[in-house]
Amino acid sequence: MNSGAPWPSPNSAQERVLGIQRKLHKWSTDDQDRRFTDLHNLVCDPATLMAAWLRVRANRGSRSAGVDGQTARYIEHVLGVERFLDALREELRSGSFRPLPVKERLIPKRGGANKFRRLGVPAVRDRVVQAALKLVLEPIFEADFQPCSYGFRPGRRAQDAIAEIHFLSTSPRSYEWIVEADIKACFEELSHSAILDRVRRRIRDKRVLALVKAFLKAGIMSEQGRLKGTVTGTPQGGILSPLMANVALNALDEHFVRAWEQTGGHHGRYARRRRGEANYRIVRYADDFVIAVAGERRHAEALIAETEQVLAPLGLALSQEKTSITQIDEGIEFLGWKIKRQPGRDGRPQIYTYPSKRSLQAVTGKVKQITRTGHNQTLDQLLHRLNPVLRGWCAYFHHGVSSRTFNYLRAYTWRRVIIWLRHKHHGRNWRWLRRRYLPGWWPTAETVCLYNPAGVKIVRYRYRGSRISTPWEQPAYEQLSFDLEHLEALIAR
């Protein structure tokens, strides 16, 4: 497309990008050794940049400015989107594009004082380029990623990881020992050379490699205004960072998948157990992972040392504080869930998944924080703040055995709203409050009523295993249509 040509519409841009992604994913899947060249032109393609802009604009983070002080809203109303993308595309094509340092934000960690998670806020222009890179690179690397990885991957979610642990722990598989592992400062300590070496296995375009390296080396502008270089790591908050982390950590997945495949199938694994050897599987979500072990505790302890050996070339190490070995009867916490084996209604052992106490404390803490202040606002405004918190939390946990937890959250939230109303209308009696705000004993405002967690339907999550498809795999009906058209063309000849 010529530089003076009009920019594509959002719909046509997304359709073109989807077509490109499908081709890249198919080529990458069909040839596992293929190294891609000339990807830079796809990154600079107007459709790719437009689709990248739409993704950045749709994200809530677009309201946050980077070190240049520009937000997506500023670009829309002052610079103009097409003018902004024209300048960005010209920089990319000429090779003059240089990413700006990310703006540092320290977020308090759960679990103690003086512990912070470092987030990096890139400039909007850098986010658009990162999104364009991700649109091109992700379909290629998805063909290499293993089914045991679930974090920051299209079509996969935390519930899939929980469902796999549930599947492995359930009889007759009975993987009873769980290594709960956490990588220490993963996004801060990842080796740049390790990331780039694994990217080069698939990408041969030097301009794309230079862009990836430039983002890794962009630096961090601290909250005190000091510029710090980035020797290791990929800043959390960047659009490209989760993909780069998955590319590097795929080495860990590959190691355990090879070990699994070498067991020789069902009969081979059964023979290993009879010889006193262990079988084990890894389930990873970003930098959090567990290893389910069918064997004894000593086998699980040996796997910790083995895992550290795999992580060492990546510049990573396990966190000693968060790495432990647990028997499934004691229960483990993973991704906010509690997974535990205990007697069921029939007296037989069953695996139960339900919200952990820390997750419940987190949501009740948010409810308490919202209802402690703001007595000058209306009940409508309060409920519009509360309901998204409750709805999102219940949507995440409604696949577990969560009825009792939801009932507790309902009672807790009801009580907090009543306390808020008492403070707002100090001196009013209970009869007056009931008549004005509590028809049917449930807090109701003019346009909205309080979200009821106890009314959420519990639905068992279906374990999908390795059958999770990517967005770029051609649906069966489209493939059938293509086959019929091809057959008609052959008959016409």
Side-chain angles (χ1 to χ4, degrees), residues 255-277:
H255 174 82
F256 282 97
V257 168
R258 280 195 302 268
W260 171 257
E261 291 173 349
Q262 290 171 3
T263 58
H266 174 73
H267 296 290
R269 291 190 288 274
Y270 180 71
R272 286 172 58 87
R273 292 293 300 273
R274 291 185 63 183
R275 295 195 300 266
E277 299 176 2

Side-chain angles (χ1 to χ4, degrees), residues 454-467:
V456 177
K457 184 179 179 181
I458 304 299
V459 181
R460 178 69 179 270
Y461 193 79
R462 180 173 58 88
Y463 172 59
R464 300 190 288 170
S466 59
R467 299 183 300 274

Side-chain angles (χ1 to χ4, degrees), residues 21 49 68 104 183 218 239 242 245 266 299 315 403 410 420 475 493:
Q21 289 180 317
L49 290 175
D68 59 354
E104 182 183 60
I183 301 174
I239 295 175
H266 174 73
H299 297 130
S403 294
R410 175 190 188 277
W420 181 87
R493 289 182 183 177

Side-chain angles (χ1 to χ4, degrees), residues 34 37 67 89 137 180 189-190 211-212 269 376 382:
R34 177 168 183 166
T37 59
V67 295
R89 183 172 184 240
L137 296 180
E180 301 178 74
E189 300 296 335
L190 261 174
L211 273 178
V212 173
R269 291 190 288 274
N376 58 335
L382 177 77

Side-chain angles (χ1 to χ4, degrees), residues 147-150 159-179 256-257 260 263 266 269 273 279-284 289-295 303 327-329 332 334 339-341 349-353 460-466:
C148 59
S149 167
Y150 295 99
Q159 284 82 355
D160 290 309
I162 300 301
E164 180 159 4
I165 298 173
H166 185 282
F167 174 79
L168 293 173
S169 305
T170 306
S171 179
R173 291 158 296 274
S174 301
Y175 284 66
E176 299 182 349
W177 290 98
I178 307 294
V179 179
F256 282 97
V257 168
W260 171 257
T263 58
H266 174 73
R269 291 190 288 274
R273 292 293 300 273
N279 298 316
Y280 45 90
R281 297 279 296 272
I282 187 173
V283 180
R284 183 175 66 84
F289 63 94
V290 300
I291 306 172
V293 182
L303 286 173
Q327 220 276 343
I328 195 65
D329 292 338
I332 66 167
F334 188 57
I339 308 171
K340 186 177 182 180
R341 184 171 64 185
Q350 300 288 339
I351 301 295
Y352 290 92
T353 58
R460 178 69 179 270
Y461 193 79
R462 180 173 58 88
Y463 172 59
R464 300 190 288 170
S466 59

